[in-house]
Amino acid sequence: MEVGKSLWFIILIKLVIMFLILRLFFFKPELRHYKTEQQKATHVIENLTKQP
Amino acid sequence: MILTSLVDASRLQFALTAMFHWLFVPLTLGLGILIAIFETKYYKTNDESWKKLTQFWSRIFAINFACGVATGIILEFEFGTNWSNYSWFVGDIFGAPLAIEGIFAFFMESTFFAVMYFGWNKVSKGFHLLSTWLTAIGANLSAYWILTANAWMQHPIGVAFNPVTARNEMVDFWSIVFSPVTLSKFFHSVMSGFLVAAVVVIGVSCWYIKKKCNKEFAHRSIKYASVFGLISLLLLMITGHTSAVTVARTQPMKLAAMEGLYRGENGTPFVGFAILNPKKSYNNTEKPYIVNLSVPKALSFMVDSDFNSFVPGISDIIEGGYKYKTLDGEEKTAISFQEKVERGNMARRALALYGQYKDDPDTLKRNEILSQAKSYLDKNFEYFGYGFLKNPEESIPNVPLTFYSFRIMVMLGGYFMLFMLLCYFFCRKKVLEKKNWFLVLSIISVPLVYICAEAGWVVAEVGRQPWTIQDLLPVGASVSGVSANNVWTTLIIFAVLFTTLLIAELKIAFNQIKKGPEGITWN
C-alpha cells in the first residue's frame, strides 16, 4: 500500500535522526561524567546549595 | 553561575517540543475512540460501508500516529541533557509513571494498532474490533501515565526527600496516581483530544459535502462526531471546573495570573473579557485592567461554591495573611513570600550541611549535625524552591500570556459548544448541504480547535512558572550546566525535524482525504 510505505519511511527516518543523531551527538546526559550514584548526588547537592 | 539565556533557551526548547508533540497527540486520543465506535457499528450491522468508513478514518489515524509517535521522547532527552538537576531531584517519581507508560500502555497501543491497521481479513471480525478498542484505550492509558507525572510536578505529594541522595522518593504510589490534580488534568486533557478529533472528522466531512462527493460517508461521520463532540464538550466543562478548583487549592498564583487578579475580595468576579493594564504590577496602585467585562462573584462561586468566598490575588499571595483551604479541606493561613524565602533558605542550608558532614569520620559530631539538619530540612522542605528566589517578581508567572491564553481557550470552548449544537441540529434536520456558510466554518474550525487545545497547555505550563516542581524547584535551579549555544543548536535541529514531520503529515493526510474512502461508491 502506497501510504503504508510513506509512513514506514517517515518512521524510519525520524527514529534514525532521533536516536542516531540527536541522542548520540547532541542530547548527552549531563551527569554521565560521574561514575557512581554518590558522585552524581554530590554534584546535584552542590548545584542546589551553592547556587546564589 | 547559570546564565538567564540558558534557562530561556532550555525553556523555549521544551515548550516548542511539548507544543509540537501536542499537535499529534490529541487526534490520536479522540480519533481512536471514534474509529472504535464506527467499527462497532460495522460489527453489529455487517454493513460493508461502515467497514470502509472505519478503514478511511483508520488511515488518517495511522498517518497521525506515524508522524507523532516517539516525538515525546525528545522531551525525555531534554530532561537528561538540559534539566539534569531536575531529573536527578525528581527521578524516582517521574521515572515510574513514564516507565509504566512505555512498557505497558504504549506497547499495548502499538501492538494492537498493528492488528487494527494490517489485520483486516487476516483476523476474525471480533478480534479486529477488540484490537481497535485496545488501541484506543492504550493511547488514552498512555496519556494517563504521562499526565500523572505532569500533575505531580504541579502538586508534589506522596514523596519523601532523601538528603543523602538528593532525590525525592515515592512513599505513596496511589496518592500520586489518583491525586485530584491528576484526575482533573487527565480527564480535561483527554476530553480536549476527543473534541479535536470530533472537529477534524466534521471538518473533513463538511469539505466532502461542499465538494459534493462522498456525501453519505460524510453525513454518517458527522452524525456520530457531533454527538461525540457534544459529550466531550460537556465533560470538558465539568473537568474545567474541577481543574479550576484544584488550581485554586494548589497553585493560587496560577489562578490569579489566569484572572489578572492582583487584589482579591470576598465575592471575587470572573473576568469574561478584559484588556490588561501593562503598567500594573504587584506593588503599585494602577488599575489591573484598561477594559473589563466581569461576572460579579462568579470566580468565588466557581472555586469555592460560595458567592462570598475570598480568592487571593497576586499581591495577596506575596503578602500572605489570608485564610485558604487545602485540597483536603483543611483551613490554613497563608504565609508571606518573605517567610517562604526564609524557610526555603533554611532548607537549602540544611541540605548543604548534610552534604558537608555526611562523610565526616567523627561519628558523634556527624550524627548530631545530620539529625539537626534533617529536622530543619523536614520542617521547611515544602518551601525548598523559594530559597532560590530573590524578589517577589520572580514568583509571578507571565500574567498577560497566561491571562490571554486562558481567554482564548475559554472563548473557543464557548464557540465550539455553539458549533457542535448547530452541527448536530443541521445534521438531524438533514440541511447541512444547504448551509454553505456552516460547511466553510467547519473547515476553518479545524485549526481553531488545535489553537484551543494548545492554549490550554500554555495556561497550565506558563501559569505555573517559575516552578518546574511547584514550590520545590524553580526552573533556574533545574537546568544543567550546558552551554546555551548547544541548546540553541538542538532547538534549531528539532524545529526543522518537527516542522518537516508536520508538513509530511499534512501532505499525506490531504492526499488521503482527496482520495476519500476507497472501494465503495458513496452518494
Side-chain angles (χ1 to χ4, degrees), chain B residues 7 11 18 61 71 100 103 128 141 143 146 176 181 231 243 266 268 332 349 367 373 384 397 418 446 469 471 485:
Chain B
V7 178
R11 283 183 63 195
F61 180 94
T71 49
I100 296 171
I103 294 166
H128 194 279
L141 273 180
I146 299 287
I176 296 172
V181 179
I231 294 169
S243 295
N266 290 323
T268 309
K332 286 186 170 179
R349 279 199 296 274
N367 286 347
F384 185 81
L418 194 64
V446 175
I469 307 167
D471 296 344
N485 286 341

Side-chain angles (χ1 to χ4, degrees), chain A:
Chain A
M1 202 181 343
E2 203 180 307
V3 67
K5 278 182 189 168
S6 306
L7 296 182
W8 280 117
F9 180 73
I10 287 173
I11 291 172
L12 201 68
I13 291 288
K14 180 172 62 177
L15 293 180
V16 165
I17 294 174
M18 280 170 55
F19 286 97
L20 297 184
I21 298 175
L22 285 175
R23 184 74 174 95
L24 281 185
F25 297 105
F26 294 99
F27 285 108
K28 293 173 185 171
E30 174 68 4
L31 297 178
R32 70 188 182 285
H33 307 297
Y34 305 95
K35 285 180 186 165
T36 65
E37 295 286 289
Q38 193 50 55
Q39 286 173 330
K40 289 177 185 175
T42 305
H43 171 74
V44 173
I45 289 173
E46 277 180 14
N47 280 347
L48 294 180
T49 53
K50 290 190 176 161
Q51 195 180 327

Side-chain angles (χ1 to χ4, degrees), chain B residues 37 130 211 213 220 223 227 229 288 295 342 368 412:
Chain B
I37 293 169
L130 179 70
K211 290 279 170 192
C213 60
R220 280 194 200 182
K223 188 177 159 192
V227 175
V295 184
E342 282 160 20
E368 191 187 337
L412 283 174

Side-chain angles (χ1 to χ4, degrees), chain B residues 59-337:
Chain B
R59 274 204 301 283
I60 302 299
F61 180 94
I63 294 162
N64 188 60
F65 183 86
C67 294
V69 71
T71 49
I73 287 178
I74 300 263
L75 294 169
E76 293 189 33
F77 292 172
E78 288 169 23
F79 285 141
T81 306
N82 301 348
W83 304 96
S84 61
N85 287 344
Y86 159 81
S87 298
W88 182 264
F89 190 79
V90 75
D92 298 336
I93 314 303
F94 219 67
L98 294 189
I100 296 171
E101 187 270 334
I103 294 166
F104 176 63
F106 179 68
F107 276 133
M108 175 177 164
E109 177 191 2
S110 305
T111 305
F112 288 104
F113 169 69
V115 180
M116 169 184 147
Y117 193 69
F118 299 107
W120 289 104
N121 306 322
K122 292 186 179 108
V123 295
S124 71
K125 264 174 74 179
F127 185 68
H128 194 279
L129 177 65
L130 179 70
S131 302
T132 304
W133 273 108
L134 289 176
T135 303
I137 292 167
N140 285 278
L141 273 180
S142 242
Y144 191 85
W145 293 110
I146 299 287
L147 293 169
T148 297
N150 181 283
W152 184 83
M153 291 157 73
Q154 319 264 353
H155 179 50
I157 49 162
V159 296
F161 181 69
N162 183 340
V164 178
T165 59
R167 296 188 113 166
N168 283 287
E169 292 169 355
M170 195 180 288
V171 292
D172 187 351
F173 177 75
W174 298 111
S175 75
I176 296 172
V177 173
F178 293 118
S179 128
V181 179
T182 306
L183 294 174
S184 59
K185 185 168 276 296
F186 168 72
F187 285 110
H188 198 60
S189 306
V190 162
M191 287 307 133
S192 78
F194 288 12
L195 178 66
V196 167
V199 174
V200 168
V201 169
I202 291 168
V204 171
S205 303
C206 282
W207 184 77
Y208 284 134
I209 295 174
K210 194 167 160 44
K211 290 279 170 192
K212 302 192 188 310
C213 60
N214 304 314
K215 283 193 282 187
E216 175 58 24
F217 161 88
H219 277 111
R220 280 194 200 182
S221 299
I222 291 169
K223 188 177 159 192
Y224 281 79
S226 60
V227 175
F228 187 67
L230 271 175
I231 294 169
S232 308
L233 269 163
L234 285 173
L235 294 173
L236 261 173
M237 284 166 65
I238 295 167
T239 54
H241 168 69
T242 56
S243 295
V245 172
T246 55
V247 166
R249 303 279 180 275
T250 58
Q251 298 172 299
M253 185 63 93
K254 183 195 278 187
L255 184 72
M258 283 160 66
E259 285 297 300
L261 179 70
Y262 284 83
R263 279 288 169 203
E265 56 185 292
N266 290 323
T268 309
F270 173 77
V271 180
F273 174 79
I275 297 173
L276 294 176
N277 180 357
K279 291 179 187 162
K280 178 66 186 166
S281 88
Y282 80 95
N283 57 358
N284 69 20
T285 53
E286 293 276 348
K287 286 185 176 176
Y289 315 108
I290 294 171
V291 181
N292 174 21
L293 198 67
S294 299
V295 184
K297 301 186 181 221
L299 186 65
S300 289
F301 184 73
M302 277 165 67
V303 300
D304 289 322
S305 305
D306 174 0
F307 284 110
N308 293 312
S309 76
F310 180 81
V311 180
I314 291 169
S315 306
D316 303 307
I317 295 165
I318 287 167
E319 291 163 12
Y322 60 90
K323 302 268 186 208
Y324 70 99
K325 273 186 192 164
T326 65
L327 266 182
D328 304 327
E330 191 187 343
E331 193 168 275
K332 286 186 170 179
T333 302
I335 64 171
S336 69
F337 171 82

Side-chain angles (χ1 to χ4, degrees), chain B residues 221-491:
Chain B
S221 299
I222 291 169
K223 188 177 159 192
Y224 281 79
S226 60
V227 175
F228 187 67
L230 271 175
I231 294 169
S232 308
L233 269 163
L234 285 173
L235 294 173
L236 261 173
M237 284 166 65
I238 295 167
T239 54
H241 168 69
T242 56
S243 295
V245 172
T246 55
V247 166
R249 303 279 180 275
T250 58
Q251 298 172 299
M253 185 63 93
K254 183 195 278 187
L255 184 72
M258 283 160 66
E259 285 297 300
L261 179 70
Y262 284 83
R263 279 288 169 203
E265 56 185 292
N266 290 323
T268 309
F270 173 77
V271 180
F273 174 79
I275 297 173
L276 294 176
N277 180 357
K279 291 179 187 162
K280 178 66 186 166
S281 88
Y282 80 95
N283 57 358
N284 69 20
T285 53
E286 293 276 348
K287 286 185 176 176
Y289 315 108
I290 294 171
V291 181
N292 174 21
L293 198 67
S294 299
V295 184
K297 301 186 181 221
L299 186 65
S300 289
F301 184 73
M302 277 165 67
V303 300
D304 289 322
S305 305
D306 174 0
F307 284 110
N308 293 312
S309 76
F310 180 81
V311 180
I314 291 169
S315 306
D316 303 307
I317 295 165
I318 287 167
E319 291 163 12
Y322 60 90
K323 302 268 186 208
Y324 70 99
K325 273 186 192 164
T326 65
L327 266 182
D328 304 327
E330 191 187 343
E331 193 168 275
K332 286 186 170 179
T333 302
I335 64 171
S336 69
F337 171 82
Q338 204 49 48
E339 196 177 337
K340 287 176 189 170
V341 169
E342 282 160 20
R343 291 184 64 179
N345 278 326
M346 271 195 256
R348 281 185 73 195
R349 279 199 296 274
L351 179 63
L353 274 178
Y354 225 95
Q356 195 181 337
Y357 285 96
K358 69 177 187 298
D359 298 322
D360 196 293
D362 183 343
T363 316
L364 203 64
K365 183 180 163 193
R366 185 181 70 215
N367 286 347
E368 191 187 337
I369 291 176
L370 293 193
S371 156
Q372 210 172 8
K374 180 83 168 68
S375 161
Y376 268 96
L377 194 56
D378 288 347
K379 270 184 207 161
N380 300 297
F381 186 70
E382 62 183 304
Y383 300 108
F384 185 81
Y386 282 91
F388 296 92
L389 305 185
K390 299 285 169 286
N391 56 63
E393 282 96 337
E394 290 180 48
S395 70
I396 305 170
N398 184 321
V399 176
L401 188 54
T402 313
F403 177 87
Y404 289 119
S405 301
F406 182 59
R407 302 272 125 19
I408 289 171
M409 180 189 76
V410 171
M411 283 177 188
L412 283 174
Y415 160 76
F416 280 115
M417 180 54 87
L418 194 64
F419 171 84
M420 282 295 168
L421 284 169
L422 281 175
C423 186
Y424 178 73
F425 178 76
F426 291 154
C427 192
R428 272 193 72 91
K429 295 280 174 192
K430 298 187 174 151
V431 294
L432 258 177
E433 284 175 65
K434 294 172 193 162
K435 307 285 178 190
N436 191 49
W437 63 270
F438 188 80
L439 300 177
V440 174
L441 196 67
S442 301
I443 298 164
I444 296 170
S445 295
V446 175
L448 289 182
V449 79
Y450 279 95
I451 291 171
C452 184
E454 293 282 1
W457 276 109
V458 172
V459 175
E461 300 304 305
V462 174
R464 71 159 145 144
Q465 294 303 315
W467 308 109
T468 41
I469 307 167
Q470 184 71 33
D471 296 344
L472 298 185
L473 202 66
V475 285
S478 306
V479 289
S480 311
V482 293
S483 92
N485 286 341
N486 278 0
V487 180
W488 280 110
T489 308
T490 49
L491 197 160

